[in-house]
Amino acid sequence: MLKFAFSKGYILWPLTFLVLLMLTTVGVIAFPKTPENSDALKISPAHTGEDLPDGFTLYQGLSQRGVEIESITPANGSLVVKLHSSIQQHLAQETLKSILPSGYKIQPYSHEPSHEWANKFNRDQSHFG
């Protein structure tokens, strides 16, 4: 007969690793992402078909009131104004409300994770094979 001598360490390390792996997985899946302070604002027309405001005019108005701007970029029929810090968001919103005519929505913008790599793969399928 063969007898296998199992030591406690032989079983304990894999079991500990497995428990830690399961706890990490549950933690990532079960707990929602904590909300971040947004450092960007999204400006979009209230009605479809309206033009977007001029980015240079927005830049001038915001910078004259002390709002530090990182960038102003178009995104899906709106403008995204990225600020240097989320602390200036309230000042930027109030400034934009005074600069822009009525008919524009000004909302905090949170960048959603991009799946550009997947889009590139789908777009460039003709290059494979």
Side-chain angles (χ1 to χ4, degrees):
M1 266 198 248
L2 292 173
K3 286 188 177 183
F4 292 104
F6 290 109
S7 67
K8 288 183 181 180
Y10 180 76
I11 295 174
L12 191 60
W13 281 111
L15 185 62
T16 303
F17 178 73
L18 184 63
V19 168
L20 288 175
L21 182 65
M22 287 179 4
L23 287 174
T24 303
T25 304
V26 168
V28 168
I29 293 172
F31 297 112
K33 182 181 175 187
T34 57
E36 299 175 1
N37 288 339
S38 176
D39 61 346
L41 294 171
K42 179 179 176 182
I43 304 167
S44 56
H47 305 288
T48 56
E50 291 184 18
D51 291 332
L52 292 173
D54 180 41
F56 183 71
T57 306
L58 295 179
Y59 180 83
Q60 278 185 323
L62 289 168
S63 63
Q64 285 175 352
R65 302 231 174 112
V67 178
E68 296 178 24
I69 302 162
E70 193 170 304
S71 65
I72 299 176
T73 55
N76 298 329
S78 61
L79 286 178
V80 175
V81 179
K82 187 163 184 186
L83 308 170
H84 277 288
S85 72
S86 60
I87 297 170
Q88 294 186 332
Q89 184 180 14
H90 181 69
L91 175 62
Q93 276 184 318
E94 294 303 316
T95 303
L96 288 170
K97 285 178 185 176
S98 67
I99 292 173
L100 294 171
S102 61
Y104 289 100
K105 293 186 272 184
I106 304 166
Q107 304 167 339
Y109 177 77
S110 59
H111 182 68
E112 297 175 4
S114 124
H115 300 290
E116 291 177 18
W117 62 271
N119 291 338
K120 278 187 176 183
F121 179 74
N122 289 336
R123 184 186 66 213
D124 296 335
Q125 282 183 345
S126 61
H127 297 291
F128 293 107

